Amino acid sequence: GQQVMQIPQYQHVQEGEDFTTYCNSSTTLSNIQWYKQRPGGHPVFLIQLVKSGEVKKQKRLTFQFGEAKKNSSLHITATQTTDVGTYFCAGPSRGGNQFYFGTGTSLTVIP
Amino acid sequence: DTAVSQTPKYLVTQMGNDKSIKCEQNLGHDTMYWYKQDSKKFLKIMFSYNNKELIINETVPNRFSPKSPDKAHLNLHINSLELGDSAVYFCATSKGASGGIEQFFGPGTRLTVL
């Protein structure tokens, strides 16, 4: 079946360092969404990318959607303690009748 | 006003019991979802539902059933609870068709089966 894997599963960084999480799907996705879940909280939508090769920025966060629409990345520049949480990619299958969350990357930022 | 609410927040129960978790949204969204998040934080969609279509993840046991009394509510009923059902269950909603655009999540219900 469809799988959406993220690497790394865990990442510890010093505050101020950069961070990247990679998302890889076994099949083509219609779009890719990114969510952030703070410890003890619920997933919160960050952004959606739709076009092949699309790049979007939100302040220190940069999101990319791969050319083949099977992979994506989230890069955070100069991490802050407020960036702590688990980042999930997610997306519907090409037919749109199934929706998958990635396995998540848990980010710890050491002050 | 909370956009997506769930009750209860915590649920502790014995194996074999039947329980329900309620979800209500005031966003006027068309589609509602149920997710299960296990201890490793993996999020799996269980159901997506709008007034026209119920999509069930084929891996979900038939002990789980969604019930929608109206467009603003999608409750999750679980029969014959098992230890492996212990998890956090999230309700979510979206404006459009299943998976099309951003989803808004409820605060979650932590279910513990003893």
Side-chain angles (χ1 to χ4, degrees):
Chain A
Q2 166 106 21
Q3 284 192 335
V4 183
M5 306 296 291
Q6 284 181 250
I7 53 169
Q9 190 175 354
Y10 303 97
Q11 182 81 61
H12 290 67
V13 298
Q14 286 289 139
E15 190 172 15
E17 290 182 339
D18 292 355
F19 159 76
T20 304
T21 171
Y22 299 92
C23 170
N24 294 287
S25 170
S26 56
T27 60
T28 305
L29 299 170
S30 295
N31 65 67
I32 195 87
Q33 299 168 26
W34 283 92
Y35 291 79
K36 176 183 178 181
Q37 184 178 20
R38 293 183 186 273
H42 58 274
V44 174
F45 176 83
L46 293 176
I47 206 162
Q48 177 175 284
L49 299 103
V50 179
K51 297 177 186 174
S52 169
E54 190 171 8
V55 177
K56 284 189 176 180
K57 290 192 175 187
Q58 283 180 351
K59 296 183 181 177
R60 294 178 295 104
L61 278 61
T62 302
F63 304 84
Q64 275 190 309
F65 198 11
E67 294 290 341
K69 300 183 88 172
K70 293 175 74 172
N71 55 63
S72 181
S73 64
L74 157 59
H75 180 81
I76 303 179
T77 304
T79 53
Q80 300 174 359
T81 53
T82 52
D83 295 326
V84 165
T86 301
Y87 292 85
F88 293 96
C89 62
S93 61
R94 210 172 198 178
N97 60 348
Q98 292 290 343
F99 191 78
Y100 303 94
F101 265 80
T103 47
T105 296
S106 286
L107 173 65
T108 300
V109 179
I110 304 161
Chain B
D1 259 355
T2 304
V4 184
S5 59
Q6 292 179 229
T7 52
K9 189 166 183 174
Y10 300 96
L11 182 54
V12 181
T13 188
Q14 298 285 335
M15 242 175 20
N17 285 349
D18 302 340
K19 290 292 177 186
S20 290
I21 305 172
K22 295 185 177 181
C23 176
E24 177 180 0
Q25 57 113 348
N26 63 7
L27 296 168
H29 285 173
D30 301 310
T31 307
M32 297 182 75
Y33 310 81
W34 276 105
Y35 287 88
K36 178 181 180 182
Q37 187 170 46
D38 63 22
S39 57
K40 293 183 180 178
K41 296 217 164 188
F42 295 148
L43 263 171
K44 277 194 178 172
I45 190 167
M46 302 175 71
F47 306 99
S48 70
Y49 180 80
N50 62 30
N51 58 3
K52 296 176 184 175
E53 191 177 20
L54 171 65
I55 299 173
I56 302 170
N57 185 323
E58 60 190 15
T59 66
V60 174
N62 59 13
R63 298 181 294 105
F64 290 79
S65 56
K67 297 187 192 304
S68 180
D70 55 56
K71 194 177 170 182
H73 297 84
L74 183 67
N75 304 325
L76 181 65
H77 189 75
I78 316 169
N79 288 328
S80 303
L81 278 155
E82 299 178 358
L83 293 176
D85 297 333
S86 295
V88 179
Y89 291 84
F90 287 102
C91 174
T93 73
S94 68
K95 198 173 184 180
S98 174
I101 54 175
E102 74 175 286
Q103 296 181 29
F104 294 79
F105 281 76
T109 296
R110 182 173 293 276
L111 170 65
T112 303
V113 182
L114 304 174

Short mmCIF file of all heavy atoms in Angstrom, two decimals, chain B residues 15-77:
data_model
loop_
_atom_site.label_atom_id
_atom_site.label_comp_id
_atom_site.label_asym_id
_atom_site.label_seq_id
_atom_site.Cartn_x
_atom_site.Cartn_y
_atom_site.Cartn_z
N MET B 15 -11.15 -3.38 28.86
CA MET B 15 -11.24 -4.21 27.65
C MET B 15 -12.64 -4.78 27.52
O MET B 15 -13.25 -5.16 28.53
CB MET B 15 -10.25 -5.39 27.80
CG MET B 15 -9.18 -5.40 26.76
SD MET B 15 -7.92 -6.69 26.97
CE MET B 15 -8.63 -7.88 27.99
N GLY B 16 -13.14 -4.81 26.30
CA GLY B 16 -14.45 -5.41 26.06
C GLY B 16 -15.60 -4.43 26.09
O GLY B 16 -16.70 -4.73 25.60
N ASN B 17 -15.36 -3.24 26.66
CA ASN B 17 -16.42 -2.23 26.72
C ASN B 17 -16.66 -1.60 25.36
O ASN B 17 -15.84 -1.68 24.44
CB ASN B 17 -16.08 -1.14 27.73
CG ASN B 17 -16.26 -1.60 29.16
OD1 ASN B 17 -16.82 -2.66 29.42
ND2 ASN B 17 -15.76 -0.82 30.10
N ASP B 18 -17.81 -0.93 25.25
CA ASP B 18 -18.14 -0.12 24.07
C ASP B 18 -18.11 1.34 24.49
O ASP B 18 -18.64 1.69 25.54
CB ASP B 18 -19.55 -0.44 23.55
CG ASP B 18 -19.74 -1.90 23.20
OD1 ASP B 18 -18.72 -2.60 22.97
OD2 ASP B 18 -20.90 -2.35 23.14
N LYS B 19 -17.50 2.17 23.66
CA LYS B 19 -17.41 3.59 24.01
C LYS B 19 -17.57 4.45 22.77
O LYS B 19 -17.36 3.99 21.64
CB LYS B 19 -16.04 3.93 24.63
CG LYS B 19 -15.84 3.36 26.03
CD LYS B 19 -16.76 4.04 27.03
CE LYS B 19 -16.61 3.42 28.40
NZ LYS B 19 -17.59 3.96 29.37
N SER B 20 -17.93 5.71 23.00
CA SER B 20 -18.03 6.68 21.91
C SER B 20 -17.24 7.93 22.21
O SER B 20 -17.13 8.34 23.37
CB SER B 20 -19.50 7.08 21.69
OG SER B 20 -20.23 6.01 21.16
N ILE B 21 -16.69 8.52 21.16
CA ILE B 21 -16.02 9.81 21.25
C ILE B 21 -16.79 10.76 20.34
O ILE B 21 -17.11 10.41 19.20
CB ILE B 21 -14.55 9.73 20.78
CG1 ILE B 21 -13.80 8.64 21.55
CG2 ILE B 21 -13.87 11.08 20.97
CD1 ILE B 21 -12.41 8.38 21.00
N LYS B 22 -17.05 11.96 20.86
CA LYS B 22 -17.86 12.90 20.09
C LYS B 22 -16.99 13.99 19.47
O LYS B 22 -15.99 14.42 20.06
CB LYS B 22 -18.91 13.54 20.98
CG LYS B 22 -19.93 12.53 21.49
CD LYS B 22 -21.02 13.21 22.28
CE LYS B 22 -22.06 12.18 22.71
NZ LYS B 22 -23.16 12.78 23.48
N CYS B 23 -17.38 14.44 18.30
CA CYS B 23 -16.69 15.53 17.63
C CYS B 23 -17.72 16.49 17.07
O CYS B 23 -18.70 16.08 16.43
CB CYS B 23 -15.82 15.00 16.49
SG CYS B 23 -15.01 16.30 15.54
N GLU B 24 -17.47 17.78 17.31
CA GLU B 24 -18.36 18.82 16.81
C GLU B 24 -17.54 19.92 16.17
O GLU B 24 -16.49 20.29 16.68
CB GLU B 24 -19.19 19.41 17.96
CG GLU B 24 -20.10 20.54 17.54
CD GLU B 24 -20.92 21.10 18.68
OE1 GLU B 24 -20.79 20.62 19.82
OE2 GLU B 24 -21.69 22.04 18.43
N GLN B 25 -18.00 20.43 15.05
CA GLN B 25 -17.31 21.55 14.39
C GLN B 25 -18.30 22.67 14.10
O GLN B 25 -19.46 22.42 13.76
CB GLN B 25 -16.62 21.06 13.11
CG GLN B 25 -17.55 20.40 12.10
CD GLN B 25 -17.72 21.17 10.81
OE1 GLN B 25 -17.34 22.35 10.70
NE2 GLN B 25 -18.31 20.53 9.81
N ASN B 26 -17.80 23.91 14.24
CA ASN B 26 -18.64 25.07 13.95
C ASN B 26 -18.10 25.87 12.78
O ASN B 26 -18.37 27.07 12.66
CB ASN B 26 -18.80 25.94 15.21
CG ASN B 26 -17.47 26.51 15.68
OD1 ASN B 26 -16.44 26.38 15.00
ND2 ASN B 26 -17.47 27.14 16.83
N LEU B 27 -17.32 25.19 11.93
CA LEU B 27 -16.70 25.86 10.78
C LEU B 27 -17.56 25.78 9.53
O LEU B 27 -17.25 26.41 8.52
CB LEU B 27 -15.33 25.23 10.50
CG LEU B 27 -14.31 25.40 11.62
CD1 LEU B 27 -13.09 24.50 11.37
CD2 LEU B 27 -13.88 26.85 11.74
N GLY B 28 -18.59 24.96 9.58
CA GLY B 28 -19.41 24.78 8.38
C GLY B 28 -18.73 23.96 7.30
O GLY B 28 -19.10 24.03 6.13
N HIS B 29 -17.73 23.18 7.69
CA HIS B 29 -16.99 22.38 6.71
C HIS B 29 -17.78 21.17 6.25
O HIS B 29 -18.63 20.65 6.95
CB HIS B 29 -15.65 21.93 7.31
CG HIS B 29 -14.65 23.03 7.37
ND1 HIS B 29 -13.43 22.90 7.99
CD2 HIS B 29 -14.68 24.30 6.90
CE1 HIS B 29 -12.74 24.02 7.87
NE2 HIS B 29 -13.49 24.89 7.22
N ASP B 30 -17.43 20.73 5.02
CA ASP B 30 -18.17 19.64 4.41
C ASP B 30 -17.67 18.27 4.82
O ASP B 30 -18.43 17.31 4.83
CB ASP B 30 -18.06 19.73 2.88
CG ASP B 30 -18.59 21.04 2.36
OD1 ASP B 30 -19.72 21.40 2.75
OD2 ASP B 30 -17.89 21.70 1.58
N THR B 31 -16.38 18.17 5.09
CA THR B 31 -15.78 16.85 5.31
C THR B 31 -15.20 16.76 6.72
O THR B 31 -14.57 17.69 7.19
CB THR B 31 -14.67 16.59 4.27
OG1 THR B 31 -15.21 16.78 2.96
CG2 THR B 31 -14.15 15.16 4.38
N MET B 32 -15.44 15.63 7.34
CA MET B 32 -14.88 15.37 8.67
C MET B 32 -14.10 14.06 8.64
O MET B 32 -14.37 13.18 7.82
CB MET B 32 -16.00 15.33 9.72
CG MET B 32 -16.73 16.66 9.84
SD MET B 32 -18.02 16.69 11.10
CE MET B 32 -17.03 16.76 12.60
N TYR B 33 -13.14 13.96 9.55
CA TYR B 33 -12.22 12.82 9.56
C TYR B 33 -12.03 12.33 10.98
O TYR B 33 -12.16 13.09 11.94
CB TYR B 33 -10.83 13.24 9.05
CG TYR B 33 -10.80 14.01 7.76
CD1 TYR B 33 -11.07 15.38 7.75
CD2 TYR B 33 -10.47 13.38 6.57
CE1 TYR B 33 -11.01 16.10 6.57
CE2 TYR B 33 -10.41 14.10 5.38
CZ TYR B 33 -10.69 15.45 5.39
OH TYR B 33 -10.64 16.17 4.22
N TRP B 34 -11.62 11.08 11.08
CA TRP B 34 -11.09 10.54 12.33
C TRP B 34 -9.71 9.97 12.06
O TRP B 34 -9.49 9.25 11.08
CB TRP B 34 -11.99 9.45 12.92
CG TRP B 34 -13.12 10.02 13.72
CD1 TRP B 34 -14.44 10.11 13.37
CD2 TRP B 34 -13.02 10.60 15.03
NE1 TRP B 34 -15.17 10.71 14.37
CE2 TRP B 34 -14.32 11.02 15.39
CE3 TRP B 34 -11.97 10.81 15.93
CZ2 TRP B 34 -14.60 11.63 16.62
CZ3 TRP B 34 -12.24 11.42 17.14
CH2 TRP B 34 -13.55 11.82 17.49
N TYR B 35 -8.78 10.32 12.97
CA TYR B 35 -7.42 9.83 12.92
C TYR B 35 -7.07 9.12 14.22
O TYR B 35 -7.56 9.48 15.29
CB TYR B 35 -6.42 10.98 12.76
CG TYR B 35 -6.40 11.62 11.41
CD1 TYR B 35 -7.26 12.66 11.10
CD2 TYR B 35 -5.49 11.18 10.44
CE1 TYR B 35 -7.22 13.27 9.85
CE2 TYR B 35 -5.45 11.79 9.19
CZ TYR B 35 -6.31 12.82 8.91
OH TYR B 35 -6.27 13.40 7.67
N LYS B 36 -6.16 8.15 14.10
CA LYS B 36 -5.60 7.50 15.28
C LYS B 36 -4.11 7.81 15.32
O LYS B 36 -3.42 7.62 14.31
CB LYS B 36 -5.83 5.98 15.21
CG LYS B 36 -5.24 5.21 16.38
CD LYS B 36 -5.47 3.71 16.22
CE LYS B 36 -4.87 2.94 17.38
NZ LYS B 36 -5.05 1.47 17.24
N GLN B 37 -3.63 8.28 16.47
CA GLN B 37 -2.20 8.51 16.64
C GLN B 37 -1.68 7.60 17.72
O GLN B 37 -2.08 7.69 18.88
CB GLN B 37 -1.91 9.97 17.00
CG GLN B 37 -0.41 10.27 17.03
CD GLN B 37 -0.12 11.75 17.15
OE1 GLN B 37 -0.71 12.46 17.95
NE2 GLN B 37 0.80 12.24 16.33
N ASP B 38 -0.76 6.72 17.35
CA ASP B 38 -0.25 5.74 18.32
C ASP B 38 0.90 6.32 19.14
O ASP B 38 1.24 7.50 19.00
CB ASP B 38 0.16 4.45 17.61
CG ASP B 38 1.30 4.64 16.63
OD1 ASP B 38 2.06 5.62 16.77
OD2 ASP B 38 1.43 3.81 15.71
N SER B 39 1.47 5.47 19.98
CA SER B 39 2.50 5.94 20.92
C SER B 39 3.77 6.41 20.21
O SER B 39 4.56 7.16 20.76
CB SER B 39 2.85 4.83 21.91
OG SER B 39 3.26 3.68 21.22
N LYS B 40 3.96 5.98 18.95
CA LYS B 40 5.12 6.44 18.18
C LYS B 40 4.79 7.69 17.38
O LYS B 40 5.58 8.13 16.55
CB LYS B 40 5.59 5.32 17.23
CG LYS B 40 6.15 4.12 17.96
CD LYS B 40 6.66 3.08 16.98
CE LYS B 40 7.23 1.89 17.73
NZ LYS B 40 7.68 0.83 16.83
N LYS B 41 3.62 8.24 17.61
CA LYS B 41 3.15 9.46 16.95
C LYS B 41 2.74 9.27 15.49
O LYS B 41 2.51 10.25 14.80
CB LYS B 41 4.20 10.59 17.04
CG LYS B 41 4.48 11.03 18.44
CD LYS B 41 4.71 12.50 18.51
CE LYS B 41 4.60 12.98 19.93
NZ LYS B 41 4.62 14.38 20.10
N PHE B 42 2.66 8.03 15.03
CA PHE B 42 2.18 7.81 13.67
C PHE B 42 0.70 8.17 13.60
O PHE B 42 -0.09 7.72 14.42
CB PHE B 42 2.39 6.37 13.23
CG PHE B 42 3.83 5.96 13.13
CD1 PHE B 42 4.22 4.66 13.40
CD2 PHE B 42 4.81 6.87 12.78
CE1 PHE B 42 5.55 4.28 13.31
CE2 PHE B 42 6.14 6.49 12.69
CZ PHE B 42 6.51 5.20 12.96
N LEU B 43 0.36 8.97 12.59
CA LEU B 43 -1.02 9.41 12.40
C LEU B 43 -1.64 8.62 11.26
O LEU B 43 -1.16 8.69 10.13
CB LEU B 43 -1.06 10.89 12.02
CG LEU B 43 -1.31 11.91 13.08
CD1 LEU B 43 -1.07 13.30 12.53
CD2 LEU B 43 -2.73 11.80 13.63
N LYS B 44 -2.72 7.91 11.54
CA LYS B 44 -3.38 7.15 10.48
C LYS B 44 -4.81 7.60 10.33
O LYS B 44 -5.54 7.67 11.33
CB LYS B 44 -3.35 5.66 10.80
CG LYS B 44 -2.08 4.97 10.42
CD LYS B 44 -2.26 3.47 10.43
CE LYS B 44 -0.98 2.78 10.01
NZ LYS B 44 -1.03 1.35 10.19
N ILE B 45 -5.19 7.87 9.10
CA ILE B 45 -6.58 8.23 8.87
C ILE B 45 -7.44 6.98 9.01
O ILE B 45 -7.08 5.91 8.53
CB ILE B 45 -6.76 8.91 7.50
CG1 ILE B 45 -8.17 9.49 7.38
CG2 ILE B 45 -6.46 7.95 6.36
CD1 ILE B 45 -8.33 10.42 6.21
N MET B 46 -8.55 7.13 9.70
CA MET B 46 -9.47 6.00 9.87
C MET B 46 -10.67 6.15 8.93
O MET B 46 -11.07 5.19 8.27
CB MET B 46 -9.97 5.94 11.32
CG MET B 46 -8.85 5.82 12.33
SD MET B 46 -9.46 5.89 14.01
CE MET B 46 -10.28 4.32 14.14
N PHE B 47 -11.25 7.32 8.93
CA PHE B 47 -12.43 7.59 8.09
C PHE B 47 -12.37 9.01 7.58
O PHE B 47 -11.85 9.90 8.25
CB PHE B 47 -13.74 7.46 8.91
CG PHE B 47 -13.91 6.18 9.64
CD1 PHE B 47 -13.62 6.10 10.99
CD2 PHE B 47 -14.39 5.06 9.00
CE1 PHE B 47 -13.79 4.92 11.69
CE2 PHE B 47 -14.56 3.87 9.69
CZ PHE B 47 -14.25 3.80 11.03
N SER B 48 -12.94 9.23 6.41
CA SER B 48 -13.30 10.57 6.01
C SER B 48 -14.76 10.50 5.57
O SER B 48 -15.20 9.49 5.00
CB SER B 48 -12.42 11.11 4.90
OG SER B 48 -12.67 10.44 3.69
N TYR B 49 -15.50 11.56 5.86
CA TYR B 49 -16.95 11.49 5.66
C TYR B 49 -17.50 12.86 5.29
O TYR B 49 -17.19 13.86 5.94
CB TYR B 49 -17.62 11.01 6.94
CG TYR B 49 -19.12 10.88 6.85
CD1 TYR B 49 -19.71 9.78 6.25
CD2 TYR B 49 -19.96 11.87 7.36
CE1 TYR B 49 -21.08 9.67 6.15
CE2 TYR B 49 -21.33 11.77 7.27
CZ TYR B 49 -21.88 10.66 6.66
OH TYR B 49 -23.25 10.55 6.57
N ASN B 50 -18.27 12.92 4.23
CA ASN B 50 -19.12 14.08 4.02
C ASN B 50 -20.53 13.56 3.76
O ASN B 50 -20.77 12.36 3.86
CB ASN B 50 -18.60 14.98 2.90
CG ASN B 50 -18.55 14.27 1.57
OD1 ASN B 50 -19.35 13.37 1.30
ND2 ASN B 50 -17.63 14.67 0.73
N ASN B 51 -21.44 14.45 3.45
CA ASN B 51 -22.84 14.01 3.39
C ASN B 51 -23.11 13.08 2.22
O ASN B 51 -24.20 12.55 2.06
CB ASN B 51 -23.79 15.20 3.38
CG ASN B 51 -23.51 16.12 2.21
OD1 ASN B 51 -22.66 15.83 1.38
ND2 ASN B 51 -24.21 17.23 2.15
N LYS B 52 -22.10 12.90 1.41
CA LYS B 52 -22.31 12.03 0.25
C LYS B 52 -21.51 10.73 0.31
O LYS B 52 -21.90 9.73 -0.30
CB LYS B 52 -21.91 12.77 -1.02
CG LYS B 52 -22.76 13.99 -1.31
CD LYS B 52 -22.25 14.73 -2.55
CE LYS B 52 -23.06 16.00 -2.75
NZ LYS B 52 -22.55 16.81 -3.85
N GLU B 53 -20.43 10.75 1.02
CA GLU B 53 -19.52 9.62 0.89
C GLU B 53 -18.77 9.33 2.18
O GLU B 53 -18.28 10.24 2.85
CB GLU B 53 -18.51 9.93 -0.21
CG GLU B 53 -17.66 8.75 -0.65
CD GLU B 53 -16.74 9.13 -1.80
OE1 GLU B 53 -16.48 10.32 -1.98
OE2 GLU B 53 -16.28 8.23 -2.49
N LEU B 54 -18.71 8.05 2.51
CA LEU B 54 -17.87 7.62 3.63
C LEU B 54 -16.71 6.83 3.04
O LEU B 54 -16.91 5.86 2.31
CB LEU B 54 -18.68 6.72 4.58
CG LEU B 54 -17.89 6.01 5.68
CD1 LEU B 54 -17.30 7.01 6.66
CD2 LEU B 54 -18.78 5.01 6.41
N ILE B 55 -15.52 7.27 3.34
CA ILE B 55 -14.33 6.54 2.88
C ILE B 55 -13.67 5.92 4.11
O ILE B 55 -13.36 6.62 5.07
CB ILE B 55 -13.34 7.47 2.16
CG1 ILE B 55 -14.00 8.07 0.92
CG2 ILE B 55 -12.09 6.69 1.77
CD1 ILE B 55 -13.17 9.11 0.23
N ILE B 56 -13.52 4.64 4.04
CA ILE B 56 -12.98 3.91 5.19
C ILE B 56 -11.59 3.41 4.85
O ILE B 56 -11.37 2.81 3.80
CB ILE B 56 -13.88 2.70 5.52
CG1 ILE B 56 -15.31 3.16 5.80
CG2 ILE B 56 -13.33 1.93 6.70
CD1 ILE B 56 -16.30 2.03 5.89
N ASN B 57 -10.65 3.63 5.76
CA ASN B 57 -9.36 3.03 5.60
C ASN B 57 -9.52 1.52 5.79
O ASN B 57 -10.03 1.07 6.82
CB ASN B 57 -8.39 3.61 6.63
CG ASN B 57 -6.98 3.11 6.45
OD1 ASN B 57 -6.76 1.95 6.10
ND2 ASN B 57 -6.01 3.95 6.69
N GLU B 58 -9.08 0.76 4.82
CA GLU B 58 -9.33 -0.68 4.83
C GLU B 58 -8.70 -1.40 6.02
O GLU B 58 -9.08 -2.52 6.34
CB GLU B 58 -8.83 -1.30 3.54
CG GLU B 58 -7.33 -1.09 3.33
CD GLU B 58 -6.88 -1.49 1.94
OE1 GLU B 58 -7.72 -1.65 1.06
OE2 GLU B 58 -5.66 -1.64 1.76
N THR B 59 -7.72 -0.74 6.66
CA THR B 59 -7.08 -1.40 7.80
C THR B 59 -7.85 -1.22 9.10
O THR B 59 -7.48 -1.80 10.11
CB THR B 59 -5.66 -0.85 8.01
OG1 THR B 59 -5.75 0.53 8.38
CG2 THR B 59 -4.83 -0.97 6.73
N VAL B 60 -8.89 -0.43 9.10
CA VAL B 60 -9.64 -0.17 10.33
C VAL B 60 -10.58 -1.33 10.63
O VAL B 60 -11.39 -1.71 9.78
CB VAL B 60 -10.45 1.14 10.21
CG1 VAL B 60 -11.34 1.35 11.45
CG2 VAL B 60 -9.52 2.34 10.04
N PRO B 61 -10.49 -1.91 11.83
CA PRO B 61 -11.40 -3.02 12.18
C PRO B 61 -12.86 -2.56 12.18
O PRO B 61 -13.15 -1.40 12.47
CB PRO B 61 -10.97 -3.39 13.61
CG PRO B 61 -9.60 -2.83 13.77
CD PRO B 61 -9.53 -1.62 12.90
N ASN B 62 -13.76 -3.47 11.88
CA ASN B 62 -15.17 -3.06 11.82
C ASN B 62 -15.78 -2.85 13.19
O ASN B 62 -16.97 -2.54 13.30
CB ASN B 62 -15.99 -4.05 10.98
CG ASN B 62 -15.93 -5.46 11.53
OD1 ASN B 62 -15.48 -5.68 12.67
ND2 ASN B 62 -16.35 -6.43 10.75
N ARG B 63 -14.97 -2.97 14.23
CA ARG B 63 -15.43 -2.58 15.58
C ARG B 63 -15.56 -1.06 15.69
O ARG B 63 -16.18 -0.55 16.62
CB ARG B 63 -14.44 -3.07 16.64
CG ARG B 63 -14.28 -4.58 16.71
CD ARG B 63 -13.31 -4.98 17.81
NE ARG B 63 -11.95 -4.53 17.56
CZ ARG B 63 -11.38 -3.51 18.17
NH1 ARG B 63 -12.04 -2.80 19.07
NH2 ARG B 63 -10.13 -3.19 17.89
N PHE B 64 -14.92 -0.36 14.75
CA PHE B 64 -14.96 1.09 14.74
C PHE B 64 -16.01 1.55 13.73
O PHE B 64 -16.01 1.08 12.58
CB PHE B 64 -13.61 1.67 14.32
CG PHE B 64 -12.53 1.49 15.33
CD1 PHE B 64 -11.88 0.26 15.46
CD2 PHE B 64 -12.14 2.53 16.16
CE1 PHE B 64 -10.87 0.08 16.40
CE2 PHE B 64 -11.13 2.35 17.09
CZ PHE B 64 -10.50 1.13 17.21
N SER B 65 -16.88 2.45 14.14
CA SER B 65 -17.87 2.95 13.19
C SER B 65 -18.12 4.44 13.43
O SER B 65 -18.32 4.87 14.57
CB SER B 65 -19.17 2.16 13.29
OG SER B 65 -19.67 2.19 14.62
N PRO B 66 -18.12 5.22 12.37
CA PRO B 66 -18.44 6.64 12.49
C PRO B 66 -19.95 6.83 12.41
O PRO B 66 -20.63 6.12 11.68
CB PRO B 66 -17.75 7.25 11.27
CG PRO B 66 -17.76 6.15 10.25
CD PRO B 66 -17.76 4.85 10.99
N LYS B 67 -20.43 7.79 13.18
CA LYS B 67 -21.86 8.08 13.14
C LYS B 67 -22.04 9.59 13.06
O LYS B 67 -21.50 10.32 13.88
CB LYS B 67 -22.56 7.53 14.38
CG LYS B 67 -22.48 6.02 14.50
CD LYS B 67 -23.31 5.49 15.64
CE LYS B 67 -23.02 4.03 15.96
NZ LYS B 67 -23.19 3.14 14.81
N SER B 68 -22.78 10.03 12.06
CA SER B 68 -22.95 11.47 11.85
C SER B 68 -24.42 11.85 11.97
O SER B 68 -25.18 11.68 11.02
CB SER B 68 -22.42 11.86 10.47
OG SER B 68 -22.59 13.25 10.26
N PRO B 69 -24.83 12.39 13.12
CA PRO B 69 -26.23 12.80 13.28
C PRO B 69 -26.59 14.01 12.42
O PRO B 69 -27.74 14.18 12.04
CB PRO B 69 -26.34 13.13 14.77
CG PRO B 69 -24.95 13.36 15.24
CD PRO B 69 -24.06 12.59 14.34
N ASP B 70 -25.59 14.85 12.14
CA ASP B 70 -25.80 16.02 11.27
C ASP B 70 -24.45 16.48 10.77
O ASP B 70 -23.42 15.95 11.14
CB ASP B 70 -26.53 17.14 12.02
CG ASP B 70 -25.83 17.56 13.30
OD1 ASP B 70 -24.63 17.93 13.22
OD2 ASP B 70 -26.44 17.47 14.37
N LYS B 71 -24.48 17.52 9.94
CA LYS B 71 -23.26 17.96 9.26
C LYS B 71 -22.17 18.46 10.22
O LYS B 71 -21.00 18.45 9.90
CB LYS B 71 -23.63 19.07 8.27
CG LYS B 71 -22.56 19.40 7.27
CD LYS B 71 -23.06 20.46 6.31
CE LYS B 71 -21.90 20.97 5.47
NZ LYS B 71 -22.30 22.03 4.55
N ALA B 72 -22.57 18.89 11.40
CA ALA B 72 -21.61 19.46 12.34
C ALA B 72 -21.00 18.43 13.28
O ALA B 72 -20.12 18.75 14.08
CB ALA B 72 -22.28 20.56 13.17
N HIS B 73 -21.45 17.20 13.21
CA HIS B 73 -20.99 16.17 14.16
C HIS B 73 -20.57 14.90 13.43
O HIS B 73 -21.23 14.46 12.50
CB HIS B 73 -22.11 15.81 15.15
CG HIS B 73 -22.54 16.94 16.02
ND1 HIS B 73 -23.47 17.88 15.61
CD2 HIS B 73 -22.16 17.29 17.27
CE1 HIS B 73 -23.65 18.76 16.58
NE2 HIS B 73 -22.87 18.43 17.60
N LEU B 74 -19.46 14.34 13.91
CA LEU B 74 -19.06 13.00 13.48
C LEU B 74 -18.51 12.29 14.69
O LEU B 74 -17.41 12.60 15.16
CB LEU B 74 -18.02 13.04 12.36
CG LEU B 74 -17.63 11.66 11.83
CD1 LEU B 74 -18.81 11.01 11.10
CD2 LEU B 74 -16.43 11.74 10.88
N ASN B 75 -19.28 11.37 15.21
CA ASN B 75 -18.88 10.64 16.41
C ASN B 75 -18.22 9.33 16.02
O ASN B 75 -18.49 8.77 14.95
CB ASN B 75 -20.09 10.39 17.30
CG ASN B 75 -20.80 11.70 17.66
OD1 ASN B 75 -20.15 12.73 17.84
ND2 ASN B 75 -22.12 11.65 17.76
N LEU B 76 -17.37 8.83 16.90
CA LEU B 76 -16.67 7.57 16.66
C LEU B 76 -17.11 6.58 17.72
O LEU B 76 -16.92 6.83 18.92
CB LEU B 76 -15.15 7.78 16.73
CG LEU B 76 -14.29 6.55 16.49
CD1 LEU B 76 -14.45 6.05 15.06
CD2 LEU B 76 -12.83 6.86 16.77
N HIS B 77 -17.70 5.49 17.26
CA HIS B 77 -18.14 4.47 18.19
C HIS B 77 -17.22 3.27 18.08
O HIS B 77 -16.89 2.84 16.97
CB HIS B 77 -19.59 4.06 17.89
CG HIS B 77 -20.16 3.19 18.93
ND1 HIS B 77 -20.57 3.65 20.17
CD2 HIS B 77 -20.37 1.85 18.95
CE1 HIS B 77 -21.02 2.64 20.89
NE2 HIS B 77 -20.91 1.54 20.19
#
